[in-house]
Each structure stands twice: as structure tokens, then as C-alpha cells.
Amino acid sequence: MKGIFWLASYPKSGNTWFRAFLSRLLSQNKEALDINCLRTDGIASSRNIFDYITGLEASDLSAAEIDELRPKVYAYMAAQAPKPLHIKIHDAYTLLPGGQPLIPAGGSRGAVYIIRNPLDIAVSLAFHLGCNLDTAIAHMGDSEYCFSGSSRHLHSKLRQKLLSWSEHVESWTKGPKFPVKIIRYEDMHASPVETFTAVAAFMELAAKPAEIEQAVAAAAFKNLQQQEKQAGFQEKPANMAAFFREGKVGSWCSALTQEQVLRLVSEHRRVMRQFGYLSEQGEPVF
Amino acid sequence: MNNKQFMYKAYGLTFAADFCIPGLPESQGLPDVIIRYSAVPESLEDAIITAIVFQVAPAKFLLNVEGIARYLIVGRHEIIIEPCATADETDVQAFLLGTVLGVLLQARGGFVLHGAAVNINGQALIATGVSAVGKSTLAAALCRQGHELLADDMCLVSFDGKGKPELISGYPLVKLWTDAVEVLGEKTSLLRRVRNRLEKYQVPVGKKVSGAAVPLRWCVELRRDNSKQVSIAKLPDAEKVTSIETNAHRYWFLSGRDQVHQAKCCKQIAAAVNGFRMSWPLEGFWLEDMVKKIEGVIDK
């Protein structure tokens, strides 16, 4: 069967780690994992893919015009590809002004949605953007927040509407009319083999337990970090010292002030509670 | 009825248009390509390829840009445009000088590189690379040094009698976004927009293009990465061919000449040019450094 599996997440939620695992699993010859040559099928916001398929230059179109064409591009890609595609996406699952989804049901086989504790995301996002923690926290609470959203500048990627963190999570966990497998970053850490095995089954990948274990080992954070130290990582943003920075659960404890924690919890309480990031008493779990 | 024809020269072709196309150099003589407003069908009955915004049929190409216009290329010599009633003329012309012109050049058998080219002392330098890497901005900065713009975005390459590549000049405008315009010290308020609602401008740079073919001497592939400063390195022969192949502007939906011919063109260009890769940081413009690096290698 063909079609697109979306590898979806809010930024800094473990998407690259997951793609590293998947890349190793998809590799026919099980050769060594190379973080600069992942075997998944690019990112949904790729300007080059859009230009190639439409024959237009996205740089001659407004962000709204591009968004109108994006569902058609993905449906076309899914129909033309000889195999299932695995495409990274940070866009929230949104509807266009006419009511049709940005990510079309036709052509989409499913999505893996990776969710991470927003307290840890705030720390990681601040490093990613080269901004302070308060700015990162403000972005995470902003319903209008976008990546590559400035109209004064030609971005290397298409505009991606992220919405707030809570809205992003709910958009993907409630919106699509195709199957969505939700996994938590924290479970990828605590029980990687079980978590990745479940995802591989969802994606209908015929992988033996030993192959899953090998892929998990190849995508271990230390391995990714070491590769970046040796050869760099082409997806690293300009302002960031290293993309694979800590890869830890709970780094917020030593990075966020109590005020910052309260703000994040206050803005995202309901969704944090729903996905197990807050206890019944309202205390952070991880 | 208005019978006035506007004559232009670009990419070695003479165009006769029903309407004014600002930015194209005026010309005279027998036209190679007629551009006119007329009715364009919504679809092609004998389409071989039907994709999202276009159809391809034998000797025909139909582009439908929603809310702007339908464009029909017939054979090698005719472009028919049916604008939408509400479309702005600037918007209609943006796609005419973009995809439609690109398809026409390829349909006529032209070899096109995706880049921006300047004439440096009678020889052409082309900056190639992916979208948003800074090709046009670098070309504009080089023109500030007194060099002549040859083409922006689509660079048509032909081969002389000895098989040496030549750059055929396009038209004397670069398309830049607001931040790049400001870095070059221009005022956006004085410039014509590429499209009515985009902050992307047509920037006239340097002298008018001469219209002549200029020997292609340098190919510089631009790359933005995590480097902390601008660097330039000569490409080994094998990488030079790959770089040219990667940056060939080729529409997948046009069969045109076969891949063997395309590969031959790439090899011919690679054999004749000095190839470089210039890396520059992801943040900021670094134009002064980039121009210095270019001048450093072309002097040698």
C-alpha cells in the first residue's frame, strides 16, 4: 500500500530522534546511520519539493496561496510515489479558509504524533531559536505562532503554522480523519524498544525484534550527539551551539524559574493533564 | 481594438507582445515568440500529463494559476494568456516571466541552470544553489561593483561552435525580498513589486544587459550552513559535474531532449568552467565578504 505516514510533532519533541530510528529501520542493508542522510522522505515545508511538483516557484506565491496548494501537492506525491512515504511535519493540523485540511485525508495513511513535556520543550526551544526562556514560553502560548512566517524575507522553508503548544497537540490528536498513533517522548526514553515496536507495527513495518533493537541502539542519543560533534548536522539552526544538546527528560527542573513553570502549567494545564504531564494534584510528573 | 505591439529581447529571443512588459529590454525585428491575450481552454483534451496546476499535451502546455490567469504555450512560438477578470497585471506577468518562460525555454531545447549570472570582464559567472540561498542578492551585490547582470533565476546556456558554454542574457532585473533590498541600500517604495501583495521587488541593477552571449567561466554553488564565516573552495572535477546537474533547471513534466543530452551538457559545462562552492552563515547577509571571496578567485 502507498500513501504518506506523517511524522508529526511540535518542534523539539524528539522528531529527529524518531526519524533516526526509522531511517535505520528502513535502511535495506542496515548500514550505519548517518544523521546527515536520513532515509525518511523530507519535510512537509520543503520549498524544493513544492516547486518541483507544482512547476511553480513558491517564492512567487503568498503564504496563503501556497497553503491552498499544499494539500494537492501531498495528495499528488502520495499517488505518484511507488512506496509509502515518511514525511516530517511541524505544522499544526489546520483547516484552510475553505474548510479543507492542510493535510489531506486522501493520500495520508496515518500519522505518528510525538508529544513531549512542554516544560522540557520550552528549554529546548529557547536553545533552538537562540532566544531567552520567556520568549520561548511566549511562543508556546501564542495561537498565531509560525515558523518561517516573516513576509519580508525568503525563508528556506514554507510557512508553518504551529499555533500554541496545546493547540498543536489537540489539532493532531483530534483533527485528522486518518489514524494517528500518539507516542510520548518520555516513553521513547523510558522504554524505547516497546515504544518503537508499537510504532513500527502501526506503520506496518515488518521488523523483527532484533531489527528494532538494532535501530534503537543506532539512534541512541549519544550516537547522534557524537556524529554531530564529528561531522556537524545540516538541520541545525544558526543560533544553536549543538542540535543534539542534552536529550534528557526533566531538564526543565534546573532551567526554569518557578514563575516560568507556573506560566506554562497555567497555559497548558488541560492538555498536560490529559497526556500525563501533570498529576491529579497538578504537579509535574516528569 | 489596440493593435500596438511591444517588442522585447530576452534569452536570445525576440518577443512580440500585445501588452507592455515592464523590465524586459525593448527590441525590434521579426519575433521568435508571440505573446497575446485571448481565450485559453480550461483543460487540454489530449493531455498526456495532468498535474496540480498544469497539463501537458503534444506541443502544448497549459498552466492554470487560480485567480490570476490561464497560460497556454503552443509549439515553440506562441504564448496565449487569459487573465482572470480580477487579476492584477503585475501578478499575470510574474508567472509569464517565471514558469511560462522557463517552460518555453526548455520546450525550445534550451539548457537552463537555476541561478543568477553576471558578466565579469567579458566572462560569465553563475551563482547556483537551492531557493533562498542568496543567489539573486549576491548577483545584485556584484553588480554594485560595476559588473553587468546577465540573468536572474533562469540562466540559459548555449554552446558555441567549439562546444564551449555561453550564457545568453535574460533581462536586467533581479528579484529581491525586502530585507535584501534594504541591505543593498535601496528603497522598496521606489521599486515595482514582483507581485502585487508580495514583499518581493524587481530591482534594476547595473547596466542594461547587452543581449550578447558571454563565455561561461565560473560556476559558484552557494550553500548556507553552520559556518561562522564565508568560505570558498574549488570543486574537484567530479563534484563540479554533480553541482551542475543538481542545479540544472529542468521541468520533470517536459520530455524535451533526453537525459543523455542533458548529462552531456552538464559535462561540457563542467569541463569548461572553474567550479567553486561558497559557504556562508545562516544568519545575516555577509555580502561584502562574499564579493571579496568571489573577486579573490576570479583574479587567479
Side-chain angles (χ1 to χ4, degrees), chain A residues 50 58 212 255:
Chain A
F50 180 94
I212 302 265

Side-chain angles (χ1 to χ4, degrees), chain A residues 8-11 70 89-95 101-103 113 143 145-146 159-172 176:
Chain A
S9 71
Y10 194 85
R70 282 177 65 182
I89 183 165
H90 282 323
D91 301 77
Y93 183 90
T94 55
L95 301 180
L102 180 76
I103 306 304
Y113 185 73
S143 297
Y145 188 54
C146 299
R159 182 189 67 178
Q160 302 146 76
K161 287 184 179 175
L162 298 185
L163 316 181
S164 73
W165 177 81
S166 290
E167 288 166 333
H168 193 283
V169 173
E170 293 199 306
S171 78
W172 274 102

Side-chain angles (χ1 to χ4, degrees), chain A residues 8-164:
Chain A
S9 71
Y10 194 85
K12 309 314 294 174
S13 299
N15 203 312
T16 304
W17 177 18
F18 180 73
R19 284 188 299 132
F21 159 79
L22 189 59
S23 180
R24 178 62 165 73
L25 202 61
L26 292 170
S27 161
Q28 295 282 332
N29 303 318
K30 306 301 175 205
E31 65 260 36
L33 175 71
D34 179 352
I35 57 170
N36 288 307
C37 193
L38 295 178
R39 291 179 176 278
T40 48
D41 302 294
I43 184 164
S45 56
S46 165
R47 189 174 283 283
N48 291 341
I49 290 174
F50 180 94
D51 289 0
Y52 180 78
I53 290 184
T54 61
L56 300 172
E57 293 219 18
S59 62
D60 282 339
L61 300 168
S62 68
E65 288 171 330
I66 292 168
D67 280 353
E68 288 292 332
L69 288 170
R70 282 177 65 182
K72 295 172 188 167
V73 169
Y74 303 136
Y76 195 83
M77 284 172 74
Q80 298 296 317
K83 64 175 188 67
L85 299 173
H86 304 88
I87 300 179
K88 172 184 174 178
I89 183 165
H90 282 323
D91 301 77
Y93 183 90
T94 55
L95 301 180
L96 301 174
Q100 70 275 37
L102 180 76
I103 306 304
S108 294
R109 252 174 101 179
V112 175
Y113 185 73
I114 307 170
I115 181 170
R116 185 184 185 189
N117 185 358
L119 302 177
D120 278 341
I121 290 180
V123 181
S124 195
L125 188 65
F127 275 100
H128 184 89
L129 299 175
C131 66
N132 62 38
L133 284 162
D134 287 324
T135 305
I137 291 166
H139 289 326
M140 291 175 66
D142 181 358
S143 297
E144 303 292 322
Y145 188 54
C146 299
F147 268 5
S148 305
S150 167
S151 58
R152 305 177 76 250
H153 170 76
L154 181 60
H155 297 271
S156 59
K157 298 277 191 311
L158 304 176
R159 182 189 67 178
Q160 302 146 76
K161 287 184 179 175
L162 298 185
L163 316 181
S164 73

Side-chain angles (χ1 to χ4, degrees), chain A residues 47-48 51-52 54-57 59-62 65 72-73 76 151-155 233 236-239, chain B residues 51-54 63 95 99 130-132 153 177-179 182 195 198-200 226 251-253 282-283:
Chain A
R47 189 174 283 283
N48 291 341
D51 289 0
Y52 180 78
T54 61
L56 300 172
E57 293 219 18
S59 62
D60 282 339
L61 300 168
S62 68
E65 288 171 330
K72 295 172 188 167
V73 169
Y76 195 83
S151 58
R152 305 177 76 250
H153 170 76
L154 181 60
H155 297 271
F233 181 41
K236 182 180 86 63
N239 295 325
Chain B
I52 299 165
V53 293
F54 62 80
L63 175 69
F95 297 96
T99 299
V130 298
S131 290
D153 196 27
W177 293 77
T178 300
D179 59 346
E182 289 173 356
R195 289 202 49 207
L198 289 189
E199 289 195 53
K200 184 181 181 186
N226 288 301
Y251 293 106
W252 60 270
F253 41 85
L282 287 160
E283 288 287 306

Side-chain angles (χ1 to χ4, degrees), chain B residues 31-57:
Chain B
D32 300 296
V33 179
I34 306 284
I35 307 173
R36 61 189 176 88
Y37 282 150
S38 189
V40 169
E42 287 183 16
S43 62
L44 300 177
E45 282 180 10
D46 50 350
I48 302 161
I49 297 173
T50 296
I52 299 165
V53 293
F54 62 80
Q55 286 190 303
V56 182

